[in-house]
Amino acid sequence: MSRCVIIGGAPIGNYPALRAYLRPGDFCVFCDCGLDHMEGLGVRPDLIVGDFDSHPRPGLPAETIVLPCEKDDTDTVFAVKEALRRGYDQFLLLGVAGGRLDHTLGNLSILLMLDTLGKTALLADDFSEMEIVSRGEGRIPDTFPYFSLLNISGTAKGVTIRDAKYPLNKAEITCDYAYGVSNEPLPGKTAAVTVDEGRLLLIRDRT
């Protein structure tokens, strides 16, 4: 099955950087005012969801799910759940970070939800890309000048970082002390991150 791309309404200033993440065959879901990014991203919706409190209801020839304004799930969370219901296992999230901090933090929790379900998810914004490292290995090519590891869920134990300026061996990273910020892959190397217990947010910075 193809990958599902969820497109939210957070600001996007660097469309060329985000267009580079898109690939043929992606199933693109636009959430409410995420429709403002259609032209900049150069893709059309396969599915539109939203309560349309921040964008006029579209008249586009695409399947559209109209949601109530008062609901537990945000438009973006609903879109992810709908894609899961349709069988998607791989996700790319665009236009979901930046702007309102509460929306950004809420959307980061989507990465945790998808990781819990054993799905693959990448979130990209103007400056970076983010994913959860838990069961597998997070890799950072030296094309990314910096990367950070943040704990946004409990305590991560057995954290190991290889081929980076600041290596770690079986360390522990908690939510209340973020000492995994602004590391660097060694020149010519691909840094690697593993976690024995718990999970971490890996942020690869492009600038």
Side-chain angles (χ1 to χ4, degrees):
M1 178 172 281
S2 61
R3 180 182 60 169
C4 181
V5 180
I6 305 290
I7 301 163
I12 297 176
N14 190 349
Y15 283 110
L18 297 193
R19 280 199 302 268
Y21 286 92
L22 298 169
R23 60 196 190 206
D26 283 336
F27 182 81
C28 295
V29 184
F30 282 80
C31 305
D32 208 319
C33 66
L35 289 162
D36 292 334
H37 299 313
M38 273 196 305
E39 183 176 350
L41 292 175
V43 291
R44 305 291 288 180
D46 296 294
L47 174 65
I48 301 168
V49 304
D51 53 25
F52 303 108
D53 61 348
S54 56
H55 190 282
R57 188 177 301 190
L60 297 172
E63 181 184 359
T64 301
I65 299 176
V66 180
L67 303 174
C69 291
E70 296 183 1
K71 56 189 182 300
D72 291 333
D73 291 340
T74 65
D75 295 342
T76 307
V77 170
F78 179 90
V80 171
K81 288 183 176 180
E82 178 63 19
L84 288 168
R85 189 184 69 80
R86 298 182 185 211
Y88 287 92
D89 292 318
Q90 297 184 2
F91 290 81
L92 171 65
L93 307 176
L94 305 177
V96 301
R100 283 181 54 174
L101 180 60
D102 54 347
H103 285 183
T104 295
L105 294 177
N107 289 331
L108 286 176
S109 70
I110 293 174
L111 294 178
L112 294 173
M113 177 181 73
L114 291 172
D115 178 73
T116 298
L117 296 173
K119 311 303 182 183
T120 300
L122 183 72
L123 187 159
D125 63 15
D126 286 342
F127 310 101
S128 60
E129 62 181 43
M130 311 172 208
E131 67 179 349
I132 298 296
V133 178
S134 57
R135 294 169 293 276
E137 181 180 72
R139 298 175 64 81
I140 309 96
D142 68 347
T143 51
F144 293 92
Y146 302 101
F147 70 95
S148 294
L149 286 172
L150 298 177
N151 195 327
I152 59 174
S153 173
T155 297
K157 298 180 180 180
V159 180
T160 298
I161 302 175
R162 303 188 306 275
D163 293 323
K165 184 176 181 178
Y166 306 109
L168 281 178
N169 183 38
K170 302 297 183 180
E172 182 175 296
I173 297 180
T174 63
C175 289
D176 54 3
Y177 181 47
Y179 72 92
V181 174
S182 203
N183 206 335
E184 303 173 29
L186 293 177
K189 299 284 188 178
T190 295
V193 176
T194 56
V195 180
D196 291 342
E197 180 182 336
R199 48 192 178 177
L200 293 169
L201 177 68
L202 170 61
I203 304 175
R204 303 180 190 90
D205 288 305
R206 290 191 296 270
T207 57

